[in-house]
Amino acid sequence: MTAQHLFWHHVLGLRTPELDRKIANELLARQRDDGTWAIWFEGPPDLSTSVEAYAALKLAGVEPGAKARAYIRSEGGIPRTRIFTKCFLALLGQWPWQRVTPIPVELALMPPSAPLSIYNFSCWARGTFVPLAACRALRPVRSADIDLREIGSRPHATKASPPPSRLRRAALREAERWVRAHQEADGSWGGIQPPWVWSILMLAALGHGFEDETLRRAVEGWEGFTIDEGDRLRPEACQSPVWDTGLAVLALRDSGLGPEHPALVRAADWLLNEEVTVAGDWAVRRPDLAPGGWAFEFENDLYPDVDDTAVVALALRRCHRGPDAVDRGLAWTAGMQSRSGGWGAFDVDNEAFWLYKLPFCDFGKVTDEPSADVTAHALEALAPEQGYDDEVRRGLEWLLAEQEDDGSWFGRWGVNHVYGTGAALPALEAGGLPGDHPAMRRAVAWLDTVQNDDGGFGEDIRSYADRAWRGRGPSTASQTAWALLAYVAAGEADGPAAHRAAESLCSTQRNGDWEETQFTGTGFPLDFMIRYHLYRLHFPLLALGRLRERLSR
């Protein structure tokens, strides 16, 4: 994303020597000793990431080095990269648009009920594919004075795209209408980088300049997602203020802070002001469901999600604030339950797995099927409430059926089986399952087998691809806390494993904080990983607080 920041600034004519210098410094700081770049720290080298970083350094006038060049060549070079990489290089005149896998912009014309519609895709994928497909049809080029043939580029002369058919013109108009209608108040699209950047590029490719309010707001809003450290600059993929605030409130309450504390009053007031009261994309599949709930970011009201809504509802209940808003959020959550009984994050029944066979779906998740962690959070919020017996029953059945053969649960939005298990057991407890239930016992037995010698827990990101890494990795504060939450929920608060986990957290705390550099959050498993800077505080505080409460009974 740092490299792409430079690419789209080049296309829009916004580059400056200062920007080039800061981007180059950031990329060089992230380059590893072997000359490559990875998707996450300490991860394996990634070809597409390395190609984009290499190209950006060249664009900034900096030599990427022989090691980077050798690695890229050994992996097949630009021809073997993902579609997004080829599209960015096509913008720079380094790859022919004709050799980019077609992404039919005509999809924008298909109704939601069609066999193939943009609403078959997850919200983040549809938000990206609509403007990306328009760019693929328009084939914009702003040639860069660089030579990437050494890593397999195929430079081409700038030429006009072929005259579009009547159908394509209609599709481009609809794509533009859709993109404009989905811009958020802060100028973003969904508050995340991919749809934001490609929407900017689409509007520019259609001939719009900064006199266009949508484009101007988009570019100006991007400043709020840019971290400038003086000599280095990088964009943020997303921000998580609602999620962080909800978790912080829960952690402080479970640690014994009273609901009348000024910090919690202010936090609750802020969360109440962030309630989503308008219909978003979710309403396409649930047109009769009333709006409610909370989103992830400062401004992405079109995309509230079940995870945030559940956490915020729990937090506000614990603060005895906003009962009407909580009721609306819980009703919306219940209405977002999929037919299977589980919950996805943003959409209902978003399980078109055949999409992964499409040639342009070669990077990350494009579906938002129910997951154990989101379902668990929904159950934890709904189970104590009146009127949701059927939803809770179906959700519990789904969650129990999703338990892995080793006793763990898969973690979609956190790394990985420790996260899924740490979410599932509190949900089962909230749903009335006793600690001696077989599912609880199997989960506790699995946790016992993966506890580290230091008493902590950790899990390497590679567990998403390699079963041998499940629950294996250096101990981290957040992952240790997830395991401790599971032990407490299973009635093991006074057991030796919980004691060792708590001792690990207490002994590694430094001046009230924990050090955690690992990526324990997940965007797309293996393809887009996240380090939530407050996870190292939220979850240990939450787990230790719940442990203390259970031991004092």
Side-chain angles (χ1 to χ4, degrees):
M1 292 182 180
T2 301
Q4 293 164 10
H5 188 82
L6 187 60
F7 298 155
W8 72 262
H9 275 71
H10 172 83
V11 173
L12 269 67
L14 298 176
R15 278 177 60 203
T16 64
E18 185 75 352
L19 177 66
D20 284 11
R21 180 181 67 83
K22 291 180 178 181
I23 291 288
N25 287 343
E26 174 68 16
L27 292 172
L28 290 172
R30 304 296 185 191
Q31 191 175 24
R32 289 109 63 85
D33 291 341
D34 63 0
T36 67
W37 287 266
I39 291 176
W40 70 87
F41 295 125
E42 300 178 355
D46 182 75
L47 173 62
S48 294
T49 304
S50 295
V51 165
E52 291 181 33
Y54 188 100
L57 285 175
K58 284 279 195 176
L59 191 61
V62 175
E63 171 56 42
K67 290 182 178 179
R69 190 158 45 251
Y71 164 75
I72 292 171
R73 286 174 171 172
S74 71
E75 294 296 312
I78 292 172
R80 297 291 302 275
T81 59
R82 64 186 181 184
I83 188 171
F84 285 124
T85 302
K86 291 188 175 77
C87 286
F88 277 110
L89 294 178
L91 288 167
L92 304 179
Q94 298 297 312
W95 190 260
W97 276 110
Q98 300 93 310
R99 295 185 67 88
V100 174
T101 302
I103 309 169
V105 70
E106 289 77 11
L107 278 177
L109 296 172
M110 303 298 288
S113 58
L116 178 57
S117 159
I118 60 172
Y119 293 99
N120 291 123
F121 294 89
S122 62
C123 66
W124 59 86
R126 84 178 70 105
T128 303
F129 282 141
V130 170
L132 181 62
C135 287
R136 172 64 177 80
L138 293 165
R139 302 182 185 178
V141 175
R142 185 181 178 92
S143 294
D145 187 21
I146 55 176
D147 188 352
L148 298 178
R149 288 176 294 180
E150 61 201 21
I151 58 170
S153 75
R154 300 189 180 187
H156 59 96
T158 303
K159 60 180 180 180
S161 58
S165 65
R166 179 182 299 179
L167 179 64
R168 176 144 293 185
R169 290 197 300 272
L172 287 168
R173 287 194 297 271
E174 176 57 21
E176 182 178 3
R177 183 208 65 77
W178 191 92
V179 165
R180 290 183 183 277
H182 281 75
Q183 188 177 37
E184 303 280 2
D186 61 356
S188 74
W189 280 266
I192 53 176
Q193 188 261 10
W196 198 341
V197 167
W198 282 106
S199 293
I200 288 173
L201 290 167
M202 183 202 79
L203 292 169
L206 286 167
H208 301 294
F210 292 114
E211 75 286 348
D212 182 275
E213 183 181 0
T214 304
L215 180 58
R216 178 181 53 77
R217 288 176 56 225
V219 174
E220 290 177 353
W222 187 253
E223 291 298 316
F225 278 65
T226 303
I227 298 174
D228 191 332
E229 296 179 331
D231 287 331
R232 291 162 58 178
L233 181 147
R234 67 182 185 276
E236 288 188 290
C238 56
Q239 296 172 345
S240 53
V242 176
W243 180 242
D244 286 331
T245 303
L247 288 172
V249 169
L250 282 177
L252 291 169
R253 283 292 289 122
D254 280 354
S255 297
L257 204 65
E260 72 287 346
H261 190 283
L264 293 181
V265 172
R266 291 174 57 217
D269 286 344
W270 185 82
L271 287 170
L272 287 169
N273 286 330
E274 291 297 313
E275 182 191 5
V276 173
T277 59
V278 298
D281 273 12
W282 54 268
V284 170
R285 302 296 189 203
R286 285 289 187 269
D288 298 326
L289 182 61
W294 284 265
F296 185 67
E297 314 234 12
F298 288 110
E299 300 287 352
N300 61 318
D301 287 355
L302 296 177
Y303 298 104
D305 66 275
V306 171
D307 239 3
D308 277 277
T309 300
V311 166
V312 172
L314 285 168
L316 291 174
R317 280 285 198 252
R318 297 280 282 120
C319 289
H320 314 301
R321 299 294 298 279
D324 292 340
V326 173
D327 287 345
R328 287 189 292 269
L330 293 173
W332 180 81
T333 298
M336 293 292 288
Q337 189 173 28
S338 290
R339 287 189 298 266
S340 64
W343 278 267
F346 298 90
D347 279 303
V348 175
D349 297 321
N350 195 264
E351 303 179 55
F353 298 118
W354 55 268
L355 292 173
Y356 294 99
K357 297 181 180 179
L358 297 175
F360 58 83
C361 293
D362 69 348
F363 176 75
K365 291 288 293 179
V366 298
T367 54
D368 185 16
E369 67 275 7
S371 67
D373 43 314
V374 175
T375 299
H377 293 149
L379 287 171
E380 196 173 357
L382 291 172
E385 304 287 333
Q386 298 295 319
Y388 298 111
D389 291 351
D390 185 61
E391 289 86 354
V392 170
R393 176 188 58 78
R394 294 174 55 227
L396 286 171
E397 290 174 355
W398 185 90
L399 188 60
L400 288 169
E402 286 294 304
Q403 189 173 25
E404 302 284 337
D405 57 7
D406 59 11
S408 69
W409 277 268
F410 176 82
R412 164 63 181 87
W413 296 97
V415 183
N416 171 358
H417 291 261
V418 176
Y419 181 72
T421 306
L425 267 61
L428 297 180
E429 182 192 28
L433 272 66
D436 60 1
H437 188 280
M440 293 274 206
R441 293 298 92 204
R442 291 172 59 213
V444 167
W446 178 76
L447 287 170
D448 288 346
T449 67
V450 298
Q451 189 170 26
N452 288 331
D453 291 341
D454 62 6
F457 288 80
E459 186 166 354
D460 193 283
I461 292 168
R462 285 173 287 183
S463 65
Y464 281 112
D466 185 350
R467 183 186 177 103
W469 284 101
R470 288 186 183 183
R472 304 290 182 185
S475 296
T476 69
S478 59
Q479 290 167 322
T480 300
W482 296 336
L484 183 54
L485 286 168
Y487 279 128
V488 171
E492 294 288 325
D494 57 353
H499 177 79
R500 292 177 60 222
E503 285 294 321
S504 173
L505 288 174
C506 292
S507 65
T508 55
Q509 188 183 31
R510 297 290 182 269
N511 298 318
D513 200 351
W514 283 267
E515 181 179 352
E516 182 169 294
T517 59
Q518 290 88 345
F519 283 32
T520 62
T522 306
F524 309 152
L526 294 172
D527 293 310
F528 166 38
M529 307 307 299
I530 306 173
R531 181 162 75 95
Y532 288 92
H533 296 275
L534 293 178
Y535 271 18
R536 70 183 193 272
L537 293 170
H538 292 151
F539 288 109
L541 197 58
L542 187 64
L544 291 171
R546 288 190 185 179
L547 176 68
R548 184 177 65 180
E549 188 273 333
R550 295 299 173 91
L551 292 175
S552 66
R553 286 182 181 179

